[in-house]
Every structure is written in C-alpha cells, then in structure tokens.
C-alpha cells in the first residue's frame, strides 16, 4: 500500500507542474474550455455527424464528449470528473499541439505552425498519425456502443490529400479489428461493472485493464504510421520510440491516468520537437525536468534493447495481480518525480521481480 507521505508528494508535485505547464489553462488542458459539449455542436450532413479529425479542437471535443458520457460509470475511479482514465490522452492532445508535433514536419505547408493555421493537424506528422488511432477509434466505438446518443452515426471527414485513414466504425473495425474490439470491450465493460459483486477496487482495476488493452491495441495498430517518422530528426525519432516503449510499462501496471496523475508524466515531456544534435540531459532550451524525463526514457529504452526486450517482459510478467500493479505504479511514479530514485534502481528491482 502506498504511504501517505508518498501520495502527498505525488499530488504536490503534480499540482506544481500543472501551475506552470503550457499545456494547461487554469488547471485544465488547453482547448478544453472551447471543446464541444454536445454532439449537435459538431458538423452534420444527412443525419450523420461528420467532424474533421484534422482540426485539433475537434479531437479535443471527441474526448470532452466521451468524458461527459462515461463519468457516470466511473465512480470507482474517484469523485471528480477528472478522475477517469481518458485524461492522459486528453493531455497528449494538448501537448502535441503546443509542442508543435501536430505541425507539418515536411515544411511543405504551414499546417499547425504559429504562422499558419494553429488548429490544423498535419497528416504528415508521425505524432498526428499515432494520435489519430487513440482519438478517432475510441470515439467511433463510443458512438457505436450508444454512449454518444441513440443510433448516432459518425463519419470522419476525409481530405483529398489524406489517404490511409479509416473514417467510419465499419471501416476501422475491418482495418484494425483488434483495436476496435478492445475499445468496444472497454465501453461495454463500463456498463457491466455497475453490477455486483465487484468491489470498487476490483472495478477500478478491471476497467483500467480494459482501457489500457484498448489504448495499447490502438498504439500497436499505429505501426501503420512508421514511415512518417522519417520526416523528423534522429533525436525526435529516438524519443518517439522511447515514448512508445514507455507505454508498455505504464499500461501493464494499469496506470490510473487521471488528470492529476497523467500531468506528472506529460507536463515534463519536451516542449518542442527535437532537432539534430539535441542530447539530453544537455539541451539548453529545455527545462531540467524535460531533460531528466528524456534522459530517463532513453536510458530505460536502451537497457531494454540491449537486454533483448527482457526488461519489459519481466515487468509485464510481474504486473499480474492488483497488489503487484499497485507497487508497479508507485515505482514508476517515484522514477518520474524523485531524482534520487535512479534508473539503475528501477532496473535492478524489475529484473528481480517474479510473476504471480
């Protein structure tokens, strides 16, 4: 069980981060206040909701609508609307936009640039592409499962210059069946866990398990975006791969990605796209927290690679019960907020773990 002092430290650190982070506006993700609160706020044609997923505010709107719809089913997570698990993805949208990762990395357009359309999301960006899978797919599933209204039909707008992205539930289910099946399981699970005899702790762990299975299935499906990494510097590509690898650890521990908890991980991410020659922890125009987060991420990814993936495999095997997952979450939080909790300590503990 997490000690009270440790929990207080985590919350205090998150609040401190939230007060200064550019991805937050009055304690909430940027664009949240402007996001749609009703499906009728989105474009509609012939009775079909037709949002443009290449506008940042629309992707944020997807999550505001999903949060509004799912919060009544998430009392086991906490008493606040910001206690649900989708806030990590919401903060990702805010971070990708403000850090310039939604912008066109090829330089062919001004999409997403401060000198262009700041709400534009470039389909040429690897980050934009990966984020499509964790924002559009769950939104289509939520609509299919009745969370966004009765018999609501949704079709994403498709631009002539944008190819290779599914736009309807049927198309996405055909192209990425594992991801859509697991998002369906999550939304259906929200209703199922309202029934006894599960305790709140069991409901929470079950729902977080379903949620992370869906999110990871979307990330695995986003392997289709791989070619777009070449538009970025080697430093940014290395960071992107570390970012994906870190998700494996977080998901296995059933991380409770509430707004406060998720902020600890996302606020210290690099506030700009990395350039050739950037070498953490010695990047002058990034903060100490950003440099340390990058260096820690690189180090764990490097160790896992030279161990042939056995570090993450050991971690996943150990995260096989509610008790070990709770300990795992505490370890990862310590690694994130406590400079004295070295990466070598983390690796030594993980390699010494055993499965249930």
């Amino acid at each position: 069980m997490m000690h009270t002092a440790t929990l207080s430290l985590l919350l205090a650190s998150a609040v401190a981060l939230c007060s200064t982070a550019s991805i937050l506006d009055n304690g909430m993700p940027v664009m949240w206040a402007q996001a749609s609160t009703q499906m009728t706020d989105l474009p509609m044609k012939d009775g079909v909701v037709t949002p443009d997923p290449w506008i940042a505010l629309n992707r944020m709107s997807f999550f505001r609508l999903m949060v509004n719809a799912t919060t009544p089913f998430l009392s086991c997570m906490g008493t606040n609307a910001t206690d649900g698990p989708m806030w990590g993805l919401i903060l990702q949208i805010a971070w990708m936009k403000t850090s310039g990762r939604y912008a066109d990395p090829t330089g062919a357009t001004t999409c997403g640039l401060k000198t262009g359309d700041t709400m534009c999301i470039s389909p040429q960006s690897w980050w934009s592409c990966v984020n499509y899978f964790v924002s559009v797919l769950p939104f289509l599933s939520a609509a299919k499962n009745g969370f966004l209204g009765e018999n609501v039909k949704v079709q994403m707008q498709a631009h002539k210059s944008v190819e290779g992205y599914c736009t309807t539930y049927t198309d996405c289910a055909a192209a990425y069946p594992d991801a859509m099946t697991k998002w369906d399981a999550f939304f259906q699970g929200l209703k199922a866990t309202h029934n006894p005899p599960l305790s709140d702790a069991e409901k929470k762990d079950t729902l977080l398990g379903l949620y992370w299975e869906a999110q990871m299935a979307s990330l695995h499906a986003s392997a289709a975006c791989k070619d777009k990494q070449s538009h970025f510097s080697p430093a940014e590509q290395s960071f992107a791969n570390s970012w994906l690898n870190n998700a494996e650890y977080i998901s296995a521990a059933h991380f409770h990605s509430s707004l406060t908890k998720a902020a600890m991980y996302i606020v210290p991410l690099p506030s700009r796209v990395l350039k050739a020659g950037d070498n953490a922890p010695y990047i002058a125009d990034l903060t100490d927290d950003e440099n340390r987060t990058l260096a820690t991420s690189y180090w764990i990814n490097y160790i896992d690679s030279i161990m042939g993936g056995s570090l993450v495999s050991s971690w996943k095997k150990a995260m096989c019960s509610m008790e070990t997952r709770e300990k795992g979450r505490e370890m990862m939080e310590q690694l994130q907020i406590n400079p004295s909790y070295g990466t070598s300590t983390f690796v030594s503990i993980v390699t010494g773990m055993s499965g249930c």
Side-chain angles (χ1 to χ4, degrees):
M1 187 68 64
M2 188 182 297
H3 296 299
T4 302
T6 301
L7 180 58
S8 298
L9 174 62
L10 293 175
L11 292 174
S13 300
V15 170
L17 288 170
C18 291
S19 64
T20 59
S22 61
I23 66 171
L24 294 161
D25 181 14
N26 292 323
M28 296 298 285
V30 295
M31 300 185 290
W32 186 257
Q34 295 77 40
S36 301
T37 58
Q38 303 290 333
M39 287 291 282
T40 52
D41 294 336
L42 298 175
M44 183 173 291
K45 182 178 180 180
D46 299 329
V48 177
V49 180
T50 57
D52 186 346
W54 302 103
I55 297 175
L57 185 58
N58 283 353
R59 290 198 189 182
M60 184 63 76
S61 294
F62 297 165
F63 281 99
R64 185 154 191 181
L65 290 164
M66 286 191 286
V67 165
N68 289 347
T70 57
T71 295
F73 299 88
L74 291 167
S75 59
C76 61
M77 300 284 172
T79 58
N80 299 316
T82 56
D83 287 330
M86 289 189 175
W87 288 93
L89 291 175
I90 293 167
L91 284 175
Q92 279 185 25
I93 291 176
W95 167 68
M96 288 182 189
K97 180 183 182 297
T98 59
S99 68
R101 287 176 170 83
Y102 273 163
D104 186 350
T106 69
T109 70
T110 59
C111 177
L113 299 179
K114 292 180 180 179
T115 55
D117 182 352
T118 59
M119 283 292 173
C120 179
I121 297 177
S122 172
Q124 299 304 318
S125 168
W126 178 84
W127 294 99
S128 299
C129 181
V130 170
N131 185 246
Y132 190 95
F133 285 83
V134 293
S135 56
V136 170
L137 269 60
F139 187 71
L140 292 171
S141 176
K144 179 68 173 180
N145 285 280
F147 278 85
L148 303 177
E150 188 175 351
N151 299 320
V152 171
K153 295 181 180 180
V154 179
Q155 179 166 354
M156 299 294 156
Q157 292 182 30
H159 296 226
K160 291 181 180 179
S161 60
V162 180
E163 297 179 352
Y165 293 91
C166 59
T167 58
T168 66
Y169 175 90
T170 300
D171 289 345
C172 291
Y176 309 104
D178 186 52
M180 293 305 291
T181 297
K182 286 178 177 174
W183 279 116
D184 288 346
F186 167 67
F187 287 111
Q188 292 162 11
L190 287 173
K191 299 174 182 178
T193 53
H194 259 306
N195 300 323
L198 294 178
S199 66
D200 277 351
E202 291 170 325
K203 290 178 184 177
K204 178 178 178 179
D205 188 67
T206 297
L207 287 175
L208 288 175
L210 291 172
Y211 173 77
W212 279 106
E213 283 186 7
Q215 184 172 332
M216 293 308 296
S218 277
L219 285 179
H220 294 153
S222 73
C225 306
K226 182 66 177 178
D227 290 347
K228 299 181 189 299
Q229 272 199 12
S230 63
H231 297 149
F232 294 93
S233 70
E236 183 72 6
Q237 291 183 47
S238 179
F239 165 58
N241 291 328
S242 296
W243 180 80
L244 286 175
N245 188 57
N246 289 347
E248 300 287 349
Y249 292 92
I250 292 171
S251 64
H254 292 187
F255 174 58
H256 181 192
S257 47
S258 65
L259 177 62
T260 301
K261 294 282 188 179
M264 289 189 296
Y265 290 85
I266 297 176
V267 169
L269 292 177
S271 54
R272 64 162 174 81
V273 176
L274 300 181
K275 301 175 294 188
D278 281 338
N279 181 27
Y282 310 107
I283 305 175
D285 62 340
L286 296 187
T287 67
D288 290 344
D289 284 339
E290 290 172 69
N291 270 289
R292 187 170 69 85
T293 296
L294 275 172
T296 299
S297 178
Y298 288 152
W299 198 87
I300 291 177
N301 194 35
Y302 170 72
I303 293 298
D304 192 52
S305 65
I306 65 175
M307 293 175 64
S310 62
L311 184 64
V312 70
S313 295
S314 297
W315 176 264
K316 287 180 177 180
K317 289 178 182 177
M319 298 296 104
C320 53
S321 71
M322 287 178 58
E323 291 74 18
T324 58
R325 286 191 287 271
E326 184 176 3
K327 293 177 181 178
R329 291 191 292 271
E330 181 177 352
M331 285 174 58
M332 296 207 71
E333 289 165 352
Q334 285 294 326
L335 185 64
Q336 185 66 25
I337 69 169
N338 187 356
S340 65
Y341 189 87
T343 47
S344 57
T345 302
F346 177 79
V347 172
S348 65
I349 293 175
V350 173
T351 52
M353 287 179 166
S354 59
C356 300

